[in-house]
């Protein structure tokens, strides 16, 4: 997450987020939250150290206490310019001092804390040895919905990121596919995402022919041929908020079976989208999309969950997956991306980002769901 442009929020916005997070921690029975550099720190403070190093940077949020940011002394001037700085007390530590002792003085020696999923083990072990009676939970397990409900400004940024990804698709459908390597088309996609305002490209999947049957295939040296289905799945961050969309195109005229599989995925995507409304469970979105594919006889070929949340990262809670009973709330944003993967042959995936509205869902991607024929 380092180096990403912070979103244009005010110190008041960040203060409100930190207060909300501290309250949520208390409601979850935690003494507080310990947040290291990464998406949660960006979301809570707008602060992303220019280089993530082994030196401890840690935000301590506890109900009823002012937020404290523990920072290395040499980075304190940068931290003091963070958007949330007016609401933060900086506690710096100098090389040679023990940062865990500095942090321990801020913590309840018997408290249970939520800590960033990506906190370095070194830091967690340092805290544990400084305060042996503390205990810890992964932040996304303790508070999975902390960042899930987006406010109006966040929705605007996510919409703009979606529109930029759509603009990239409108351009890429016009480039030549046949005779070029997947990696070449992927480079085009990355350049387009940047041209349309992305500061960070997270993935540009170009999975042609049999490679499309592997949802984890990114790109390779395979040369795209006439008759190939090509799964395109791309996204990244624009002004600090994510895009992620998939369309499956075909080089030249598709076969009857290819059209049929694409139609089934399109219907499944539509069914998943129509299941989106406040109060429905995340798993209902998965069930609705999956039922269409299962009813068409392809159930065993839909081998991943239907969707994931998106915000200051391109993959985060909530997950649209069987067993996730979390109710949908207006402002949540997530993907609806069913697919069918026929081993050794081809794959199809269609993905839109969707936000929950008061009475249903709204797509943040709106390029055509028809199968686009490319050259
Ligand atoms: Zn074909
Ligand atoms: Zn995707
Ligand atoms: Zn996705």
């Amino acid at each position: 997450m380092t180096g990403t442009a912070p979103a244009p929020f005010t110190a008041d916005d960040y203060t409100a987020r930190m207060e909300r997070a501290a309250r949520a921690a208390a409601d979850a029975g935690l003494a507080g939250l310990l947040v290291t550099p990464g998406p949660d720190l960006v979301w809570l403070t707008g602060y992303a150290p220019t280089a993530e190093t082994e030196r401890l940077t840690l935000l301590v949020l506890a109900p009823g206490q002012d937020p404290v940011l523990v920072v290395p002394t040499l980075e304190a001037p940068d931290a003091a310019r963070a958007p949330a700085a007016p609401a933060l007390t900086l506690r710096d530590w100098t090389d040679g001092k023990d940062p865990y002792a500095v942090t321990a003085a801020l913590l309840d020696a018997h408290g249970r804390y939520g800590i960033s999923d990506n906190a370095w083990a070194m830091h967690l072990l340092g805290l544990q040895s400084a305060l042996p009676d503390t205990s810890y939970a992964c932040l996304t397990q303790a508070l999975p919905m902390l960042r899930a409900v987006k406010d109006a400004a966040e929705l605007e940024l996510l919409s703009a990121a979606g529109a930029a990804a759509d603009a990239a698709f409108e351009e890429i459908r016009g480039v030549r596919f046949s005779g070029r390597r997947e990696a070449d088309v992927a480079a085009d996609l990355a350049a387009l995402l940047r041209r349309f305002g992305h500061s960070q490209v997270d993935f540009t999947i170009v999975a042609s022919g049999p490679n499309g049957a592997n949802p984890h295939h990114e790109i390779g040296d395979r040369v795209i041929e006439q008759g190939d289905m090509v799964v395109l799945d791309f996204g990244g961050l624009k002004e600090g908020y994510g895009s992620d969309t998939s369309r499956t195109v075909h080089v030249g005229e598709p076969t009857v079976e290819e059209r049929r599989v694409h139609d089934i995925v399109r219907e499944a995507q539509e069914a998943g989208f129509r299941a989106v409304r406040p109060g429905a469970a995340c798993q209902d979105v998965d069930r609705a999309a999956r039922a269409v594919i299962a009813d068409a006889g392809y159930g065993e070929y839909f081998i991943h969950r239907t969707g994931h949340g998106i915000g200051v990262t391109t993959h985060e809670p909530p997950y649209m997956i069987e067993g996730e009973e979390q109710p949908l709330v207006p402002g949540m944003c997530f993907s609806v991306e069913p697919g069918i993967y026929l081993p050794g042959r081809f794959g199809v995936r269609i993905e839109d980002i969707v936000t929950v509205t008061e009475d249903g869902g709204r797509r943040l991607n709106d390029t055509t769901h028809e199968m686009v024929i490319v050259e």
Side-chain angles (χ1 to χ4, degrees), residues 18 58-60 65-71 84-92 106:
M18 289 192 285
L58 182 78
L59 174 69
V60 179
Q65 290 175 30
D66 288 335
V68 178
L69 186 65
V70 176
V71 287
L88 292 174
T89 301
L90 293 190
R91 191 67 53 86
D92 69 309
L106 304 166

Side-chain angles (χ1 to χ4, degrees), residues 203 233-234 244-246 308 337 349 351:
F203 45 88
D233 186 347
F234 49 96
D244 182 6
T245 185
S246 306
H308 56 81
E337 52 176 309
R349 180 164 64 258
E351 172 179 25

Side-chain angles (χ1 to χ4, degrees), residues 34 56 58 98-104 107 115 120-132 134 136:
L34 306 178
L56 179 71
L58 182 78
D98 178 358
Y100 310 114
V102 172
T103 306
L107 304 185
I115 187 165
W120 290 27
M122 179 173 87
H123 297 322
L124 177 55
L125 292 171
L127 290 170
Q128 279 179 324
S129 71
L131 292 173
T134 50
Y136 300 87

Side-chain angles (χ1 to χ4, degrees), residues 21-22 24-28 30 33 138-147 317:
D27 291 346
L30 298 170
L33 301 179
C138 270
L139 211 156
T140 61
Q141 277 165 24
L143 299 178
M145 298 303 141
L146 179 62
R147 293 190 269 115

